[in-house]
């Protein structure tokens, strides 16, 4: 049986929760996963509260999911992700030799006394290279910890996928949809239920819209393997025409 991998994303930082900064990690990771035929199953946004970080990481470590964690691995007192990961696993926080070497080579004497703290990882963690400034992230138990800066995190995410999940690639999924004009979602519930039973490998979605003028419409579409998507879209269009429902392609 082929193992189905579930990918998750944890975005960490009080500045995200307070909207001082807008998240870019979700869009960046999706842009990397989709061409590989992979997808996110869940996302969590957390502040820098140590207790909540520990509790959340205990859950995700136990889940068996493949988890990207962005933020909170710096050296300032409000960066608590490295410590929380270690505590969640019941491990000591220790200098990782490869990380120490990277930081020393990048900063020389200025690595001490503070920057070098960023080389302290849960015991047994491996390095994730950071080509932006050579301050690495770390991986342990299918969790991948990287900085909160998107320009650093995105290439690190790509490295993780290429290094650990090259064999997990699937044919890229495609998405197609039509817009139902002046329709109500409630009129399509039974059809959608039957459609999901007929096409279990497709992801069906229904997105209602209300225009500025108050006109209602529904974006009805599917995502999945290209051949199945064509078959599923034909089934939807046949049903729409059968009902004489006004629609337009997207």
């Amino acid at each position: 049986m082929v193992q189905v991998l579930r990918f998750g994303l944890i975005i960490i930082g009080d500045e995200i929760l307070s909207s001082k900064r807008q998240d870019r990690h979700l869009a960046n990771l999706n842009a990397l996963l989709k061409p590989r035929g992979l997808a996110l199953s869940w996302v969590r946004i957390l502040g820098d509260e140590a207790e909540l970080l520990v509790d959340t990481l205990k859950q995700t470590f136990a889940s068996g999911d493949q988890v990207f964690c962005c933020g909170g691995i710096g050296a300032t007192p409000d960066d608590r992700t490295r410590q929380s990961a270690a505590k969640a696993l019941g491990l000591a926080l220790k200098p990782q030799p490869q990380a120490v070497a990277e930081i020393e080579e990048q900063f020389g004497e200025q690595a001490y006394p503070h920057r070098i703290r960023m080389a302290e990882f849960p015991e047994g963690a491996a390095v994730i290279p950071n080509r932006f400034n050579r301050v690495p992230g770390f991986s342990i138990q299918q969790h991948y910890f990287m900085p909160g800066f998107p320009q650093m995190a995105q290439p690190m995410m790509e490295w993780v996928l290429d290094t650990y999940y090259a064999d997990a690639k699937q044919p890229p999924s495609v998405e197609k949809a039509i817009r139902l004009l002046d329709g109500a979602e409630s009129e399509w519930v039974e059809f959608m239920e039957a459609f999901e039973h007929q096409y279990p490998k497709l992801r069906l979605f229904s997105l209602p819209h209300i225009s500025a003028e108050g006109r209602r419409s529904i974006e009805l579409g599917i995502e999945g393997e290209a051949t199945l998507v064509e078959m599923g879209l034909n089934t939807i269009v046949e049903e729409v025409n059968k009902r004489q429902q006004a629609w337009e392609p997207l």
Side-chain angles (χ1 to χ4, degrees):
M1 180 181 294
V2 178
Q3 182 185 11
V4 177
L5 297 177
R6 291 195 348 151
F7 288 90
L9 171 63
I10 300 177
I11 302 160
I12 300 167
D14 291 340
E15 68 278 7
I16 301 296
L17 285 177
S18 66
S19 297
K20 289 181 180 178
R21 290 185 179 176
Q22 300 301 308
D23 171 64
R24 287 166 47 197
H25 299 297
L26 176 57
N28 289 346
L29 183 54
N30 273 322
L32 292 170
L33 289 172
K34 191 165 185 178
R36 292 168 168 82
L38 305 172
L40 275 172
S41 295
W42 55 264
V43 178
R44 299 188 189 186
I45 300 176
L46 305 174
D48 294 301
E49 180 186 339
E51 185 176 348
L52 181 58
L53 286 171
V54 172
D55 289 344
T56 300
L57 288 169
K58 282 182 178 179
Q59 295 171 21
T60 60
F61 279 124
S63 71
D65 292 349
Q66 325 301 306
V67 182
F68 291 84
C69 303
C70 299
I73 65 169
T76 57
D78 60 331
D79 290 315
R80 303 184 177 103
T81 303
R82 292 176 294 106
Q83 302 90 324
S84 297
K87 189 173 182 179
L89 291 168
L91 296 172
L93 198 67
K94 291 189 173 182
Q96 208 277 1
Q98 186 180 351
V100 169
E102 286 288 309
I103 293 173
E104 286 181 338
E105 194 157 337
Q106 176 71 4
F107 297 104
E109 293 182 358
Q110 294 182 355
Y112 293 87
H114 301 303
R115 287 188 175 100
I116 202 66
R117 295 177 184 174
M118 294 186 286
E120 295 176 353
F121 301 153
E123 190 172 12
V127 158
I128 300 174
N130 179 354
R131 66 183 183 220
F132 188 89
N133 68 355
R134 297 187 69 176
V135 177
F138 66 95
S139 65
I140 190 165
Q141 291 194 16
Q142 291 80 53
H143 279 53
Y144 307 96
F145 295 86
M146 51 204 68
F149 295 99
Q151 65 267 43
M152 298 183 192
Q154 186 174 27
M156 295 169 79
M157 290 173 178
E158 186 173 21
W159 183 90
V160 167
L161 290 169
D162 289 342
T163 302
Y164 295 108
Y165 299 101
D167 294 338
K169 289 182 180 180
Q170 303 291 327
S173 61
V174 299
E175 181 179 300
K176 290 194 175 182
I178 63 172
R179 189 181 306 282
L180 306 178
L181 304 174
D182 302 315
E185 277 189 304
S186 59
E187 300 169 351
W188 291 90
V189 172
E190 291 182 2
F191 168 76
M192 288 190 285
E193 290 173 342
F195 183 94
E196 287 190 329
H197 182 74
Q198 183 178 357
Y199 296 99
K201 293 185 178 181
L202 291 178
R203 182 182 69 87
L204 176 70
F205 58 89
S206 172
L207 303 174
H209 297 267
I210 302 176
S211 71
E213 296 76 25
R215 188 177 187 185
R216 295 177 179 271
S217 63
I218 305 166
E219 183 180 337
L220 185 60
I222 44 179
E223 181 182 8
E225 189 271 324
T227 302
L228 269 180
V229 165
E230 288 296 333
M231 294 172 59
L233 187 66
N234 288 338
T235 299
I236 291 173
V237 171
E238 286 175 6
E239 180 67 19
V240 170
N241 290 335
K242 179 181 174 182
R243 297 186 184 203
Q244 298 184 332
Q245 167 76 56
W247 66 280
E248 62 186 21
L250 291 175

